Each structure stands twice: as C-alpha cells, then as structure tokens.
Amino acid sequence: MARYAFKDVDRKWQQIWADRGSFRVAEDAARPKYYVLEMFPYPSGRLHVGHARNYTIGDVLARYKRAKGFNVLHPMGWDAFGLPAENAAMANKVHPAVWTEENIRVMGEQLRLLGLSYDWGREIATCRPDYYRHEQKMFLDFLKAGLAYRRESWVNWDPVDHTVLANEQVIDGRGWRTGAVVERRKLTQWFLRITAFADELLAAIETLDEWPDRVRLMQENWIGKSVGATMLFDLVGRDDRLEVFTTRPDTIFGASFCALAADHPLVLSAAEGDAGLAAFIAECRALGTSEAAIETAEKRGYDTGLRARHPFLPDVELPVYAANFVLMDYGTGAIFGCPAHDQRDLDFARKYSLAVIPVLWPQTHRCYSDAEAADLPESLRAAFDGDPVQTAADGATVFHVGTTAYSDTGLAAYRYNLGHLTDKPVLSVAEAKAIAIAALEKADAGTGAVTFRLRDWGVSRQRYWGCPIPVVYRVSDGVMVPVPEDQLPVALPDDVEFDKPGNPLDRHPTWKHTTCPETGEPALRETDTFDTFVESSWYFLRFCSPDSDVPFDEAATGYWMPVDQYIGGIEHAVLHLLYSRFFTRALKACGYRVADEPFARLMTQGMVVHETLQTAGGDWVYPEETGERDGALVRLADGAPVTRGRLEKMSKSKKNVVGLEAMVDGYGADTVRLLLLSDSPPERDLEWTEAGIEGAWRYANRLFRLITEPAVDLPPPGTPLPDGLSAAAQSLRALAHKTVAAVDADFAGFRFNRAIARLRELTTGVAEFAPQGPADGWALREASEALVRLVGPMMPHLCEELWQHLGHADTLLLDAPWPEVDLALLAEDTVTVAVQVNGKLRATLTLPRDVDKAVAEEQALAEDNVVRAMAGKPPRKVIVVPNRIVNVVV
RNA sequence: GCCCCAGUGGCGGAAUGGUAGACGCGACAGACUCAAAAUCUGUUGUCCGCGAGGGCGUGCUGGUUCGAGUCCGGCCUGGGGCACCA
C-alpha cells in the first residue's frame, strides 16, 4: 500500500518555495493587493498545535487570494516584550533577551515546519532597538500633540517584594510570590489620551461591518458612553459642593443617600478624624485594582458623617457614604443613590436601612410606600421581592419595591409630577431626564453631561523587559525633558540583575544617570517601560516597510493598508484592537498619513482545547506520567488515581499541551493543517484528539493514492474538451464544478470545515468514477486537477507534489489560477421536492426544475402516503414553494 | 456584580424559516490476510413494527408561522472578558 512520504515531500517543497523566493512580495500598482495578518505571537517557548490554528487559517486565505490573482502580503513577527521573560529570568537566571531570542529562534523553526507562506524578509521582533526606537519617536510626537501625559494612578502593590503586580499576579487578593495581602498604591504614571477619541472610536464602529457583531458590541460597551447629568450637592456646614454623575437625573426625587469612592478626596479628608473610616478605606484598597474584584465583593459602605443637601428639597439632607462599589475612575467618583430604581443602590439601602422612595412606576398601577406595604398580606409582600408589579387580592394592580428595583424605562407615572417640575403626570423616562436637567441648570445645581466608561490608557510599567519611555527628569528642578529624536533609541542596558524584586532599571548602578539634553545638568532617566500593547498597536504598519528609517514608509502603507483580513483570538476583542484603532488616529493627529481604521475585516478564531488529566488532589498530570494499573488510570510515580478532566485551552500549567513539532514529525504538516481546519468552524473551539489526527492522516493518504493511481490514463494537461463524454463523465464534471463554486463561497465565509466536507465528497466522486470510454479520461483529469487545486491552500506540500504528478512539471500549484466554474454545469434538470401534510414530511417527489405550481400540487396530492395522511379530509390550503416543498394543510 | 458567547446522535459538527443529522470520528458486521496492521464494502438518532410504515427527537418553556434547530419572550446549564497576562 503506497503511503505518502510526507517528510520528503514537506522538505522538498519548502526548499523549492524558499529557493524561488515565492513568498517575497513588493508593492505592485498593477495588481490588487491583499494584506492577510495573523496576530503575532508572544515568543513564550515552544509552539503547540493551538498556536498553529491561527497561522493555518491565515495561510489558507493567503494562498487562496494569491490563486485569485491578488498581490498578497503575509508577514510574521514577534510580540517579544513581556512579563514571562522576566519571570524566566528570575526563575532560571537567564537574561530576558537571551531567553526571548532563543524562543524566537525555536518557534521560527517550528513555524517553518508548517510551510506557511510568510515573507520572512519582513520578520520583526518588537524587543529589538530597530523596532522600538520608532515607537519612542512616535511617543515624542504624542507628547508634543498633548496625547501623552503624566498623572497619579493606582497599582497593585506587593508590600513584601516592594513591587507592582499585574492583576494576573494577584491571587485571591495576595501576591503570587510572597502571599502578602496586596494593597492599592498610587504612582505617577504615563497615559495616552485615548479618551480624546472616545466619540470617534465609538461612532466608527458602525463602519466596521466586516467585524463580528460581538466584537463590535464589546468595543461599544467598553467605550461605554453614558448620557446623563452631573449634579452639585451643597454639603451641610461646608463651603464646597459634592459633584456626582448620574444617568438617571429623573430619579433625583428618590435619592436617599450619596456614595463616594473610598479614594474620593472628601472621603480621604474625612478619614483624618475618623479611624474607622480610615480602616474602611484600607479594606477597599486591599480589593486590588481589577473591576471584577471590586464589583463582586459584597457591597459595603461607611457613613462619613457628611450630609448633602437635596438640590430641589432644601429640607432633605442625604447621608454621604464611602462605598466599595463606587469607582474613582468613572464619572466623578461619586453617585447619588436612588434605591427604588437601581438594584445595587437598593441592596445597599436595605443593608443600611435607608429610605426606598419610588418616583416612577407603570402608569396604571397604584404605588405603595414601605409603610403601606407593611400592612399587606405576607404572600403579596413576598411577591414584591421578585417583581415590583403584582395583582392584589381585589384584582387591583399595585406597585411596591421590595428587594427588586424597578429600572424599566418607558412611559411612567412620576411621583409629584417630578417634584412639580412639570405639569404632566405621565412622562417617558427620556422626557423626564430632559426636564430634570433643565431644572438643574436653572437652579445652578448641575448640567447635562456625557461620561465614558473608557479611561485613558495607562502605559507605564515598572519592569525591565519593555520599551524604555524616552524622557529624563532634571535633578535640580525635577522638570521632565523629552529625549531628542537624534538620541534615540534609548536602549535597555544588558547588564541587569533579577536576584532582587523590583524594577532592575531603577536599581541599575549607572543607566538612569544621564544629563539633561537642554542644559547638560544631571538628570535621571524615566525607568518605567511601556505596556507591551504599545508595540502591538502599530506593528501592522511596520510590516509594510520593515527596514524603513522612519516608523513606516507612507508609500508602502498607502499601498498595503488597511489590513484586509486580520485573524486572532477573541481575547483581543477589546484592548489590542481598540488600542490599534486609537493609534492610527493619534498618528494622524500628529501628521502621519494613515487610514483611520487599521483592520478592514476581522475574524476571531476559537481556542484549541485538549483533554486534561488530574489526580483527586487536583494535580495536573502529563499523559506520559500515567499508566494503567488494575484497569484504572494512575500516576506512575505514586499510584495515585488519575481522572480525565474537562477540556481546557492548551497550557503548560494544565499539562495538556500537544507539541507541534511531534505532530508534524509524526504525520506531516499537511495532516496537522487539515485537522486544524476540518474539525470545527474557525470561530468555535476545536478539540485536539488522537482520532482526529488519524482521520486526517487517512485522508492525506487516500488523496495521494487517488491522484497517483488514476483509474485510466489521463490526457496531457491542456487538452481541449473532447466529444463523446459518457453520462458518468458528465456527472463527474457537474460534481467538480459544483464543488468549485461551493468551496469558493466557503472560503470567502471562513467555512473551512464545510469546504473540506465538500472536498471529501468530490474525492469520493473521483474515486468511484468508472470511465466508460476513451474520452472520459478528460473528465477525470478535470476533476482531479480541481480537487488538487482546491485542497492546495489547506495541504500545500502534498498538493504541489500531486500537481507535479498530474504533469505540471514547470509551474507550481502555488501560482496556478483558481478553477473557473462553468455555470451551465451547475443547473440540474430535476429537483427533489418534499411533501408535507400539516408540516410533517410524508413523501418526496422528483420533479422537473421550475415545474408549474399546479403540477407540483397535483402530483403531491396523488401520493399514496399523502392521501393516507390526509385521512379523507379535503385540503384546506396547499402551499407550494417551487423546487423545495409542498405543504398540504387539512 | 456587569458585559458577551454557546447548547443538535456515542463524539466533532452540517442545515438562505422549507426533507434535521451533510462530512468526519467512533462502534458493529463483512471482504482481503496464516494472523495482525493497513485498505475496501455495508449498517449506525431513538422507540414500535416481519414489513409497508408510524411515534418521538436540536438544553427547558411559552409564542409567531402553512411550516421553527433557525425568529420573538421567559428560564436553565456551560464557557469567555472586565483595563498591569499576551
């Protein structure tokens, strides 16, 4: 049995592509361009099959577009700065640069094993000075344009290591290395002014109509535009006023308290005379900086003793709480609480026994206050806890807020006609908001306002392995001075130690000591480095002109940009993609010529997941550490029983990684590629299984044998269509042409799994084809070539080999055009029509295409099974959908 | 807590509102073989029936429709994101 020698074949064609420079590209105004980009990887170590999925999808598209006549740019590089390199440095005493470059080397070799059509001449690594010096230049431009600035901001602080922790390094509120309770601490940090573009970034989402809806929605929510009002409350016994932001100014008459972030200046000053409050603030700070941690914590507050006067009801004084659920970064860091109409406020009010005052309710209902509700039967009161709207025993509809807030927006009855601000008893919430805002403005107690959830992008990191921020601080007066462009790059020093915690740049004996470029006086360098998202916010521009002396050559980006198809994980749906969209706009504001939107089309692929193995104690176990004993799976080292756990994303920590190299070594690149494309639609997670790779391997061999052992001698390539094709040959032609059309559509829509299913059907069609006469070899060649050409983007090595086998000695499959579809072969003469009785299938009919409706109806009603199902009743109605279905309603 | 996504045979999945389960995996039976592997052929949602055929079936539950896996409402379960992981 002939097997395909994948090792030789893979090596042979990779060598030929490399020798011919097949994947080198340059701008060519005569041809349409297509820029395919997969999110570049962090060089973490070895590639596993999960990485390979992303690149395989991109490669299929790149090869497909090339066959369709496009000038395809398909580059690859390394997102090479980041925390893991420093962790490795601490754990293994290896320099981050050495560790990273070694990983790049190994992963580059592994990527090459897959036969990906990259223009490797454009490879970039963001940790190299010839990349990051351009980033420093752009930062200086941002600084000049006012798009970069410094202010104080909170970080997670490990009090034992004296180091800043990433959210990832905070586990259950404790530092991952020291186990010490993490604090929030304020540092002066650099920010990029992404909020300057908040409205623009939000509005332009509408133009991204080739992005997945859910990514667009996530970005919208992230930017989080809220229209509402800022309000000013007089503070009892003080001169200053409290400013709060609200999206529901119409509920001001239901206010029963104010709540401030624990770090609000008013809280901090109140804490000076209140040890309990100071302790409360400390507790809030121990929650860390992540929103998830803050929002999932039990809602708690502390009465500051301050009292805020209601802007419209001078007699009403609201208690002012410090609260752990109010975020200092959002709005003004202060809210008023209206418990009846906000669930979180209600939970808080019930906990601290604050008033719950409904101000609006469904217009036809009777509203009960807490006091009135107390007299109601227990059953009805309990019902209000789930839903404020209930039917009383006498049939009346009543309204009372128990433990569920009423936050519907629509037409509503407003208590006191919104405090006599209007004559109308019934208003829409939108009208009521406008009335409340007008009244606030008239009373000089507030104004309409828009707030965004989006915050400016904090880019300072107190770490070594990142791009240095190119500014210095003069020692004499502390003035910040940008490093002049001609002194770039500010390069990282090589001689650093990781034996102590904290930022090695800050500890370095000499690096930070320099002179002021303006005065020559002693100065200290900024020792913070950039967030690694800064590098990935513009790498797609650098790929267009990777050797340019400027950040990017505008002629090159003018030709290649935008990226026509961007491919990456959904985990980047917000940050990376939003930062990149911001970067193009910020660059434009600095005078660079660049399109607003960097990525025209986006596809987010799912993860590759794999079975995990775990002991009862929860230890993850490598498959090779286990064995069978007495019919049970155990860990060989200690005999502990091992169970198959759930499917997880491949990761070192879960010990479920399937190495790419071993799979390519065992089955060849094309078999691995086929499995990654065939088993799931690309957006969904894909389970890697042994059975799956075996199945793909069988197909590779089947295809190899099919083409290398044809049922009949084929005419030479390019022979014109002969006369006298048999009926079997005609139907093989129809199948081939239908498959081309369908695969074309599948590729365009990223339905690779569907395309492969169709190609398997064509494979079966070719295998089962029995030539009837001398002319039939022509149809077999046509179908075989179509099959090889169509499978080619997915299994490029094997198909090049088969293409050669089909007699194409001089031209590569890579450069062969996509097959043309003969539309005349697609139309079928007859169709199968389903016949239903009352929606249930009772028969199928074979009818001429586009037959008259009356004929279809007549034949349907004549079917035995249809007659039986109608049980002698006359048809009340017959629906005929041409070429599809006849539904008889009786 | 907030936001998002997904639930279809034993498994991965297919199905412009129109024949649910394409294609593959697995399983079972058979062919080839001394035997095994590989390969090839057939069967395979489930229940009733000798058969013809029929009942049930796309997480649950209501609705729209001649017709719902698909559209709408209410749930349930699982997964992802939440600003210093990349």
Side-chain angles (χ1 to χ4, degrees):
Chain A
M1 184 63 60
R3 296 265 209 120
Y4 118 78
F6 60 83
K7 279 186 186 159
D8 296 340
V9 170
D10 285 2
R11 203 178 306 120
K12 170 181 165 186
W13 292 103
Q14 284 170 14
Q15 192 62 52
I16 288 173
W17 296 328
D19 290 348
R20 297 199 184 187
S22 292
F23 305 126
R24 275 205 301 270
V25 287
E27 290 90 89
D28 177 0
R31 278 197 297 159
K33 65 93 183 181
Y34 200 87
Y35 186 175
V36 185
L37 185 63
E38 300 107 53
M39 290 179 185
F40 66 163
Y42 178 78
S44 55
R46 299 188 161 268
L47 284 177
H48 55 69
V49 294
H51 294 106
R53 189 182 194 194
N54 183 229
Y55 313 129
T56 301
I57 291 170
D59 196 51
V60 172
L61 189 70
R63 288 171 179 271
Y64 170 64
K65 285 290 175 182
R66 181 184 178 123
K68 293 289 243 182
F70 289 88
N71 188 24
V72 175
L73 173 58
H74 189 211
M76 181 42 70
W78 309 96
D79 188 16
F81 275 137
L83 197 52
E86 290 193 45
N87 293 340
M90 284 187 278
N92 308 325
K93 308 243 180 293
V94 54
H95 193 280
V98 173
W99 184 83
T100 302
E101 290 289 352
E102 173 62 10
N103 286 347
I104 287 174
R105 190 186 63 73
V106 171
M107 287 173 73
E109 276 176 18
Q110 295 179 332
L111 268 186
R112 283 169 172 84
L113 293 176
L114 279 172
L116 302 164
S117 61
Y118 293 131
D119 181 353
W120 282 107
R122 293 172 186 262
E123 181 178 3
I124 55 180
T126 59
C127 63
R128 297 174 189 159
D130 64 358
Y131 183 85
Y132 68 70
R133 76 185 173 101
H134 301 293
E135 188 165 305
Q136 292 174 337
K137 150 79 170 122
M138 289 186 281
F139 175 77
L140 296 178
D141 291 331
F142 291 167
L143 199 54
K144 263 182 241 159
L147 292 171
Y149 67 96
R150 287 204 307 160
R151 69 165 160 85
E152 289 199 310
S153 167
W154 295 98
V155 294
N156 296 310
W157 182 258
D158 186 317
V160 173
D161 261 359
H162 297 284
T163 190
V164 176
L165 297 176
N167 283 337
E168 181 187 63
Q169 297 171 322
V170 179
I171 295 150
D172 296 331
R174 291 169 181 274
W176 68 320
R177 284 162 67 84
T178 63
V181 173
V182 169
E183 303 166 6
R184 259 188 285 175
R185 182 179 268 223
K186 233 173 191 179
L187 291 184
T188 299
Q189 309 214 65
W190 283 99
F191 285 81
L192 297 184
R193 206 178 297 278
I194 190 171
T195 54
F197 299 91
D199 253 321
E200 206 186 318
L201 287 166
L202 182 65
I205 290 172
E206 202 179 317
T207 69
L208 301 173
D209 52 359
E210 304 229 58
W211 283 34
D213 286 342
R214 66 166 162 153
V215 174
R216 301 201 299 171
L217 189 61
M218 284 164 85
Q219 293 221 347
E220 271 176 38
N221 290 337
W222 191 263
I223 295 170
K225 183 174 184 172
S226 293
V227 179
T230 53
M231 299 174 55
L232 294 160
F233 287 79
D234 290 332
L235 290 167
V236 176
R238 295 175 61 122
D239 296 336
D240 50 345
R241 301 170 93 188
L242 170 64
E243 186 181 19
V244 307
F245 176 80
T246 178
T247 56
R248 292 295 301 273
D250 58 308
T251 64
I252 180 61
F253 289 93
S256 56
F257 65 97
C258 288
L260 313 186
D263 292 308
H264 193 284
L266 278 173
V267 175
L268 297 178
S269 67
E272 283 167 18
D274 184 340
L277 181 53
F280 180 74
I281 294 169
E283 276 178 53
C284 291
R285 287 183 184 169
L287 280 175
T289 59
S290 92
E291 188 178 320
I294 292 166
E295 295 261 357
T296 50
E298 187 194 353
K299 307 289 169 282
R300 296 183 51 223
Y302 189 96
D303 190 342
T304 60
L306 296 166
R307 293 294 176 265
R309 203 177 299 285
H310 193 288
F312 298 118
L313 304 170
D315 297 340
V316 174
E317 295 179 2
L318 306 172
V320 177
Y321 281 78
N324 64 354
F325 60 87
V326 181
L327 304 172
M328 192 59 222
D329 288 326
Y330 181 74
T332 61
I335 62 163
F336 76 77
C338 178
H341 305 295
D342 181 284
Q343 189 61 48
R344 203 165 50 178
D345 293 349
L346 182 61
D347 296 343
F348 191 81
R350 292 300 184 205
K351 181 163 184 169
Y352 293 101
S353 303
L354 300 164
V356 177
I357 310 160
V359 291
L360 72 156
W361 52 86
Q363 39 177 316
T364 54
H365 292 47
R366 162 118 201 281
C367 178
Y368 286 165
S369 66
D370 275 8
E372 289 165 323
D375 297 332
L376 291 170
E378 174 58 32
S379 61
L380 191 54
R381 255 187 301 148
F384 283 124
D385 287 349
D387 185 350
V389 178
Q390 296 299 328
T391 302
D394 61 3
T397 47
V398 292
F399 174 91
H400 169 71
V401 173
T403 60
T404 300
Y406 182 74
S407 50
D408 288 9
T409 58
L411 275 183
Y414 272 84
R415 181 180 292 266
Y416 316 128
N417 298 344
L418 201 60
H420 306 297
L421 296 178
T422 172
D423 295 333
K424 292 201 210 164
V426 173
L427 298 165
S428 73
V429 166
E431 280 178 289
K433 284 184 187 181
I435 290 165
I437 289 170
L440 283 168
E441 288 175 350
K442 195 171 164 197
D444 193 28
T447 180
V450 172
T451 290
F452 291 91
R453 203 182 82 95
L454 183 68
R455 312 199 293 260
D456 276 335
W457 175 12
V459 293
S460 289
R461 299 291 181 270
Q462 295 69 40
R463 303 194 209 295
Y464 167 76
W465 195 233
C467 171
I469 299 175
V471 298
V472 303
Y473 305 94
R474 207 147 56 204
V475 173
S476 60
D477 54 9
V479 167
M480 187 276 292
V481 182
V483 175
E485 281 178 32
D486 58 13
Q487 292 178 24
L488 299 182
V490 175
L492 289 170
D494 285 332
D495 51 336
V496 285
E497 300 290 336
F498 290 89
D499 49 352
K500 279 178 277 199
N503 182 354
L505 282 183
D506 203 37
R507 288 199 307 270
H508 192 278
T510 56
W511 184 79
K512 70 179 172 184
H513 299 285
T514 183
T515 53
C516 172
E518 287 175 0
T519 65
E521 295 172 66
L524 293 175
R525 288 192 188 282
E526 172 64 78
T527 59
D528 285 356
T529 52
F530 283 132
D531 177 8
T532 58
F533 273 121
V534 179
E535 285 84 60
S536 56
S537 294
W538 68 284
Y539 76 109
F540 43 89
L541 297 172
R542 187 69 186 165
F543 274 139
C544 298
S545 54
D547 302 317
S548 174
D549 291 337
V550 292
F552 52 91
D553 179 302
E554 290 180 355
T557 52
Y559 178 78
W560 291 114
M561 287 296 290
V563 174
D564 293 279
Q565 179 67 60
Y566 198 31
I567 304 162
I570 187 72
E571 68 272 23
H572 293 294
V574 178
L575 291 186
H576 161 58
L577 290 167
L578 192 63
Y579 291 155
S580 298
R581 298 180 61 220
F582 156 69
F583 235 74
T584 50
R585 287 169 171 82
L587 289 170
K588 198 165 138 186
C590 294
Y592 292 83
R593 267 194 299 144
V594 58
D596 282 352
E597 288 299 337
F599 312 120
R601 195 167 179 228
L602 173 70
M603 107 93 22
T604 50
Q605 98 278 351
M607 301 180 296
V608 177
V609 296
H610 190 228
E611 173 181 275
T612 52
L613 299 172
Q614 250 181 321
T615 64
D619 294 348
W620 304 101
V621 187
Y622 287 111
E624 54 272 24
E625 293 175 332
T626 65
E628 294 241 346
R629 257 183 226 165
D630 306 326
L633 197 63
V634 297
R635 178 160 62 188
L636 293 173
D638 57 3
V642 170
T643 51
R644 289 177 204 284
R646 31 176 275 173
L647 299 174
E648 297 273 8
K649 180 180 180 175
M650 285 187 189
S651 73
K652 281 183 194 164
S653 60
K654 305 269 168 71
K655 300 192 174 175
N656 66 339
V657 169
V658 176
L660 179 64
E661 215 166 340
M663 285 297 135
V664 171
D665 197 53
Y667 297 95
D670 290 345
T671 299
V672 172
R673 291 169 60 121
L674 183 68
L675 175 60
L676 290 171
L677 294 164
S678 66
D679 249 29
S680 286
E683 309 79 25
R684 238 190 275 183
D685 288 353
L686 178 141
E687 185 190 353
W688 185 271
T689 60
E690 190 66 21
I693 191 70
E694 289 288 344
W697 168 237
R698 271 198 294 274
Y699 179 74
N701 282 291
R702 192 168 163 230
L703 182 62
F704 178 77
R705 281 194 304 271
L706 183 66
I707 301 299
T708 54
E709 300 163 12
V712 61
D713 283 346
L714 303 181
T719 306
L721 175 62
D723 292 330
L725 289 191
S726 69
Q730 305 269 18
S731 73
L732 180 63
R733 289 203 71 201
L735 175 63
H737 282 258
K738 243 184 277 180
T739 305
V740 174
V743 169
D744 233 357
D746 288 336
F747 275 10
F750 283 104
R751 294 182 297 265
F752 300 116
N753 55 328
R754 191 78 182 83
I756 289 165
R758 294 186 206 279
L759 287 165
R760 282 180 181 273
E761 287 173 308
L762 178 59
T763 306
T764 302
V766 171
E768 290 177 350
F769 176 59
Q772 310 283 304
D776 280 7
W778 192 92
L780 184 58
R781 166 171 287 283
E782 183 188 44
S784 300
E785 288 199 353
L787 179 59
V788 169
R789 178 64 278 209
L790 263 47
V791 176
M794 297 183 281
M795 309 182 79
H797 310 85
L798 172 61
C799 290
E800 284 287 5
E801 185 72 16
L802 296 175
W803 190 246
Q804 193 178 48
H805 215 280
L806 285 167
H808 300 274
D810 305 321
T811 56
L812 295 184
L813 176 65
L814 186 69
D815 296 314
W818 203 247
E820 298 281 340
V821 177
D822 183 349
L823 294 173
L825 291 170
L826 300 191
E828 304 233 28
D829 298 340
T830 60
V831 290
T832 305
V833 172
V835 184
Q836 299 179 337
V837 177
N838 289 338
K840 277 192 188 295
L841 181 73
R842 295 300 173 188
T844 55
L845 293 174
T846 302
L847 294 173
R849 171 172 287 277
D850 297 327
V851 73
D852 197 77
K853 279 190 179 189
V855 175
E857 178 174 340
E858 186 191 330
Q859 295 213 18
L861 290 172
E863 283 285 311
D864 287 350
N865 222 24
V866 173
V867 172
R868 202 177 318 141
M870 287 169 68
K873 288 180 232 161
R876 280 196 293 148
K877 194 171 172 189
V878 179
I879 289 126
V880 181
V881 181
N883 302 328
R884 283 204 172 272
I885 207 159
V886 178
N887 189 12
V888 182
V889 185
V890 294

